[in-house]
Amino acid sequence: MRHLLGLLVAGCLMAGSSPAHGQSTYDLFGGARASALGYASTALTTASGVHGNPAAAARRSHRVVSFFAREAFGLSALRYGSVAGTWPAAWGSVSGGASTFGGDGYREVHYSLGYARGLSFGTSRHVHLGLTGRYYHTRIDGYGSTGAVGLHLGLLLPLLSSLDLGAHATNVNGPSLVEGEPLPQTLSVGLQYRAGDALRVLVDVFKDRAFPAALRGGLEVRPLSLIALRAGVTTAPTRFTGGIGLHLGWLQAHVAAEQHAELGWTPSASLDVHW
Amino acid sequence: MSPIRLVPQRALPVLIGLLAVFTGPLPTTAQTHPDTLHTDTTNLGPRLEPILDALSTTDRTATLAAEQLANLKAQPLALNRASVADLSMLPRLTSRDAHRIVQYRTDNGPFTAVEDLRAVDGIGPAAVQSVRPFLQLEETASRSIFPPIRTITSNLRVRLTQRYTRRLDLGRGFREDRFLGPPGRLTTRLQLAHERRLQLALTLDKDPGEPLRWSPQTQTYGFDHITGSLALRDLGRLETLVLGDFTAQFGQGVALWQGLRFGKGRDPIAPAHKRGRGVRPYHSASETSFFRGAAATIGLPGELSLTAFASRRRRDASVDSSSAAGTGPLPVRTVSGGGQHRTPSELARKGTFGETTLGGALAYRRAGLHLGVTGYRARFSRPLRPGDRPYRRFRVTGDGTSMLGGYGTVFLGDYTVFGDVARSPRGSFGGLLGAALDGDYAEAVVVGRRYPPDFASFYGNAFGDGSRPQNEMGVYTGLQLQLAPKWSVGAYLDQYRAPWLQFNVPRPSTGWEARVVLDYAPRPWLSSYVQVRVQDEDEGTEYRRAGRSLEGLQRKRRYSTRWHTEYLFSDALTVRTRLELSLHTTPDARSNGFFLSQGLRWSPHPTLTADVRIAFFDTDGFPARIYAYEHDLRYSFSAPVFFDRGRRAYALVRYEPFSSLALEAKYGVTRYDNRTTIGSGLNQTEGSRRREVRLQVHWTP
């Protein structure tokens, strides 16, 4: 019950009691790398994670499995964990994953299956498109449980050699867990600018249908090939993020921390295995 | 504590459909040539958007613009015969450009290819690409003035378009049986043409809620709105003859301009000095602003041409039965232009006001100098009595009106000077004077306008902030600079004041508007722009002082910032992204607006094109509203207004099984988060969703 109460308090704070800013719980969690970049990951061409842009899987040349864990504001009732995998093939990339959020009294579980591919449309370039289907299952002790399927669309487009555009629309079919209460529908559009391998700048505009729009920005520098340093900021509500990534051949480890002025710190970590 | 119910999902069929799209055969490259009819006219939208990109484009302007461009595309201008006024109607071409083309043609002989336009000073590749679909070289025209019937029939081009549109969520007028007709809109267009010389056009239109009925006393013959004309051209000295419905545009439109007129837009130069095209056949679904009768233009010796027209037309008006009964017919307060006849009261207004108009123009045209005089005299079947409200004081009153004006354009090297002045029956003069520079890297225009309050121009439509050239003084300055090969910037500043009152503005008022557009086109297939607009003007308000209500003014300011990127990935795929923010302020209120959209246009096969877009919007009510263009059926231009909070999605599919047949279907849905009803009055719908379906068949046997 204590966990449920904590969840409700945090939910009210996030969802706009005062000030009127909120955020969907379903679209924050791409991975610790995305968290460190202020969640500006819509155009992040090397993104991984179950809730990332569905089109990013098509950019993968190797198989990858990602593990991710996060505990929002140090509250165990707001723990989130996921595992996701991507298998590229000549005919496209298939991705799948599972994630869970909540505690004893309240539990969300999501199962995802996605397909993405690059299309050249007769040119030498590629545009990447992705589609993910996700089954949402929610259980509240004493109330019961229910589920719904949402569809998510993603796009990654190389505008110039150093500039990419990404777009990500979630729950485009308008699913509802309960009549009249649709699952969050979001649209985000982002740009990624790369200056070689050493610098990556990301910016996103994120809109949840029910909440004010958010502007997100992230910066990633790699002073050494082994290490990536990241910082980001996002509005509505304002949060500052930072993190470090370690690139050890087939293994990448990321840690991130996020600071909310009223709610405090949120740590997260993820591990990507490539082969 | 009932358990949560499982909501039926619609996801599976959608998922299967999308997977089928993804895993289907790889699309082949759509090799569509810009000049062929396979480049469908939904491409016209992006061409129209820069010139219609106003804060609030009216439906009428949008309809007329879409029809005009679609007609031009279906029947391109003859490059070696088109006049300066004709050419200056094309997107991206200024009056100066058009004059240079005609001058080049005079000096060097006819063009042998449309691409040869690049040889004309000041016409760049981008301009050629923009106007190319609307130009053609001469058809092999027969030499005789009156070709044999067999020649005409064997070269007759026929176009037939049938459209049906309707909203799926019906308004109160339908639910309560207040409307007499069904909810669909039905539009039929038939056009026959032989070269340029002969055009026969007919348009039948029934608005939503209007009944199909036969009622000659209200001029209703099945469809509520029927318009059409027979136009003959190039018959010896008879340059143009139109029987039926037509428009007349002369000079800059101070005295006379019926039909389409572009206002301030994203292009800061061209709209400020467009020139009238004389007499044009009219066959639009828009029900206002045209003449009905006969018009002719005759070429005279000495580079003169004479136009004369006679029109007799009935329009809608509310008869003012409260006026003191006299011997003559009852007067009317205003002539309405909505054209909707859905209820008995709307039907009662139909055709109650008759206009009989005689007019004409005499034009003199030689290299570097165009001059003309124009005038008309109109008689009304009922007296116009606008009423005693102060803001209506200077409106056209009485049994008729008239206007006499003169206009001219002088081309001096890179400079153009143009002007138009007219005299109203009250004796006041109104007009505009402008100058434009068209250099290699810079274009500029300055236009001053003076339309006094008592300058009541009944058929005028000249450049300005308002819709009529009346009660407005202003100066417009526009500038377009090519900063670098990939960068250009356009800007304008328009300052204006109304010396007299306006509707809902109970005092003389002032205002200004500025816009800056920065264009970046790093590749021929990638373009992006950022636009900032500010509009600051007076609006009417009420003050409470010591328990009394006083009418007064307050200042409102509106900001808008937009980023738009369009990426032509290939002939088969185009990607569009738009972000727009708005802010509206008054002394005691402030509201914000947000709009974000992502669109795709995909041609999996040369015969098939799909256009989809999803958009999210969120504004603090109507003041911070945002207009956003969306692709639509041919002959249509759609820039719906978005306010409150919600999501808009649409899909438009176009299929051309044969080169002569095009089938189009569009489905759009807007869902609001914070509304339980949409719209107002008889159009108000219940619920938070508004859906519409639009279907069209276009046949060119």
Side-chain angles (χ1 to χ4, degrees), chain A residues 115-123 125-127 129-133 135 138 140 142-151 153-155 157-161 165-167 169-179 182 185-189 191 205-214, chain B residues 1-16 18-19 21-30 520 522-523 525-526 563 565-573 575 577-579 581 594 596-600 602-604 614-618 645-647 671-673 688:
Chain A
Y115 175 73
R117 71 179 295 173
L119 299 170
S120 63
F121 293 104
T123 70
R125 294 158 285 137
H126 280 84
V127 56
L129 300 168
L131 167 69
T132 295
Y135 176 69
T138 297
I140 303 177
Y143 288 84
S145 63
T146 185
V149 174
L151 294 181
L153 297 173
L155 164 77
L157 189 67
L159 295 179
L160 302 169
S161 58
L165 181 141
T170 66
N171 293 319
V172 292
N173 58 320
S176 300
L177 285 175
V178 184
E179 189 76 52
Q185 295 169 36
T186 68
L187 176 66
S188 59
V189 173
L191 291 172
V205 177
F206 178 90
K207 179 74 176 84
D208 185 313
R209 199 178 115 175
F211 295 104
Chain B
M1 299 290 180
S2 60
I4 299 171
R5 284 178 293 124
L6 193 68
V7 177
Q9 295 305 312
R10 305 181 298 275
L12 195 59
V14 181
L15 181 64
I16 292 169
L18 287 168
L19 281 172
V21 169
F22 267 75
T23 54
L26 266 176
T28 55
T29 308
Y520 175 55
R523 304 281 186 277
W525 28 264
L526 174 64
W563 168 61
T565 289
E566 188 135 347
Y567 183 18
L568 189 66
F569 187 82
S570 76
D571 288 338
L573 181 74
V575 179
T577 304
R578 173 173 290 195
L579 170 67
L581 308 172
F594 170 91
L596 177 67
S597 73
Q598 180 62 56
L600 281 179
W602 180 38
S603 297
I614 184 167
F616 281 51
F617 55 92
D618 191 350
R645 192 173 67 227
R647 187 180 81 160
R671 293 173 191 272
Y672 291 89
D673 264 11
S688 60

Side-chain angles (χ1 to χ4, degrees), chain A:
Chain A
M1 192 61 204
R2 188 173 58 86
H3 290 166
L4 186 60
L5 196 62
L7 176 78
L8 289 173
V9 170
C12 285
L13 284 168
M14 293 179 75
S17 54
S18 176
H21 290 313
Q23 206 57 268
S24 156
T25 55
Y26 295 98
D27 280 278
L28 291 174
F29 316 130
R33 188 180 177 210
S35 300
L37 291 167
Y39 304 105
S41 59
T42 305
L44 184 61
T45 47
T46 53
S48 58
V50 68
H51 288 278
N53 187 338
R59 297 287 298 251
R60 288 279 169 197
S61 55
H62 298 88
R63 294 171 190 165
V64 58
V65 171
S66 304
F67 303 91
F68 177 48
R70 178 184 197 268
E71 187 173 275
F73 318 118
L75 294 172
S76 60
L78 302 180
R79 274 186 196 147
Y80 172 88
S82 72
V83 57
T86 300
W87 286 264
W91 39 268
S93 294
V94 174
S95 56
S99 52
T100 179
F101 173 76
D104 292 337
Y106 178 92
R107 173 67 61 188
E108 293 177 13
V109 182
H110 319 135
Y111 301 102
S112 302
L113 184 64
Y115 175 73
R117 71 179 295 173
L119 299 170
S120 63
F121 293 104
T123 70
S124 59
R125 294 158 285 137
H126 280 84
V127 56
H128 300 90
L129 300 168
L131 167 69
T132 295
R134 181 166 304 134
Y135 176 69
Y136 296 89
H137 184 268
T138 297
R139 177 181 56 78
I140 303 177
D141 284 354
Y143 288 84
S145 63
T146 185
V149 174
L151 294 181
H152 312 262
L153 297 173
L155 164 77
L156 276 175
L157 189 67
L159 295 179
L160 302 169
S161 58
S162 58
L163 189 67
D164 292 273
L165 181 141
H168 183 189
T170 66
N171 293 319
V172 292
N173 58 320
S176 300
L177 285 175
V178 184
E179 189 76 52
E181 290 294 332
L183 285 168
Q185 295 169 36
T186 68
L187 176 66
S188 59
V189 173
L191 291 172
Q192 172 189 262
Y193 172 73
R194 280 172 296 153
D197 289 331
L199 175 68
R200 199 184 293 261
V201 181
L202 295 130
V203 62
D204 267 21
V205 177
F206 178 90
K207 179 74 176 84
D208 185 313
R209 199 178 115 175
F211 295 104
L215 183 65
R216 302 165 165 184
L219 177 71
E220 181 179 82
V221 293
R222 291 183 69 174
L224 302 170
S225 61
L226 284 175
I227 297 177
L229 304 175
R230 303 178 183 115
V233 63
T234 179
T235 65
T238 302
R239 286 157 290 159
F240 296 94
T241 63
I244 298 174
L246 286 175
H247 294 243
L248 305 166
W250 53 272
L251 188 67
Q252 291 182 11
H254 312 284
V255 293
E258 171 189 333
Q259 196 250 343
H260 185 288
E262 282 91 28
L263 297 173
W265 289 89
T266 297
S268 61
S270 61
L271 195 67
D272 298 346
V273 181
H274 302 250
W275 75 97

Side-chain angles (χ1 to χ4, degrees), chain B residues 218-490:
Chain B
T218 59
Q219 296 185 313
T220 305
Y221 307 96
F223 288 77
D224 183 76
H225 173 61
I226 298 179
T227 181
S229 57
L230 170 68
L232 302 171
R233 289 195 184 89
D234 304 334
L235 302 176
R237 287 210 173 272
L238 184 63
E239 294 178 1
T240 306
L241 171 67
V242 184
L243 302 174
D245 296 335
F246 61 92
T247 58
Q249 307 170 346
F250 294 101
Q252 301 289 323
V254 175
L256 185 54
W257 188 296
Q258 299 274 70
L260 179 64
R261 160 103 224 176
F262 293 122
K264 291 174 277 190
R266 213 162 71 224
D267 180 343
I269 305 296
H273 64 123
K274 289 291 185 190
R275 297 179 51 221
R277 302 175 73 192
V279 166
R280 308 282 307 165
Y282 184 83
H283 39 84
S284 169
S286 177
E287 300 184 27
T288 55
S289 195
F290 65 91
F291 289 124
R292 176 162 287 174
T297 300
I298 299 168
L300 300 175
E303 297 171 316
L304 290 167
S305 66
L306 177 68
T307 299
F309 66 84
S311 165
R312 191 179 180 91
R313 205 192 144 202
R314 303 202 73 80
R315 297 174 67 180
D316 296 355
S318 293
V319 176
D320 185 6
S321 53
S322 65
S323 297
T327 54
L330 289 170
V332 300
R333 281 191 191 279
T334 55
V335 181
S336 75
Q340 291 188 314
H341 308 108
R342 306 162 298 177
T343 62
S345 60
E346 287 175 348
L347 270 172
R349 288 199 290 268
K350 186 175 182 184
T352 53
F353 182 77
E355 285 173 13
T356 303
T357 312
L358 298 174
L362 180 66
Y364 170 73
R365 191 171 301 164
R366 70 174 178 84
L369 180 64
H370 295 178
L371 295 173
V373 292
T374 183
Y376 65 84
R377 181 164 185 82
R379 302 298 301 172
F380 307 143
S381 65
R382 297 174 182 277
L384 257 177
R385 300 260 173 79
D388 52 4
R389 294 197 177 176
Y391 76 92
R392 292 178 171 172
R393 178 175 167 188
F394 297 110
R395 292 196 174 176
V396 172
T397 307
D399 295 321
T401 187
S402 63
M403 186 74 74
L404 187 64
Y407 56 88
T409 304
V410 182
F411 299 99
L412 301 165
D414 288 339
Y415 295 89
T416 308
V417 180
F418 52 93
D420 193 343
V421 64
R423 182 184 184 278
S424 75
R426 296 174 196 257
S428 69
F429 286 86
L432 63 80
L433 183 65
L437 163 69
D438 189 356
D440 291 337
Y441 301 102
E443 293 175 71
V445 66
V446 179
V447 183
R449 57 191 188 273
R450 181 182 180 277
Y451 313 131
D454 57 348
F455 181 75
S457 179
F458 201 62
Y459 297 123
N461 188 2
F463 186 75
D465 190 63
S467 57
R468 287 254 178 239
Q470 185 175 6
N471 188 28
E472 187 177 317
M473 317 282 178
V475 177
Y476 174 93
T477 309
L479 182 68
Q480 179 82 41
L481 292 175
Q482 190 70 41
L483 301 173
K486 298 174 184 173
W487 294 88
S488 67
V489 63

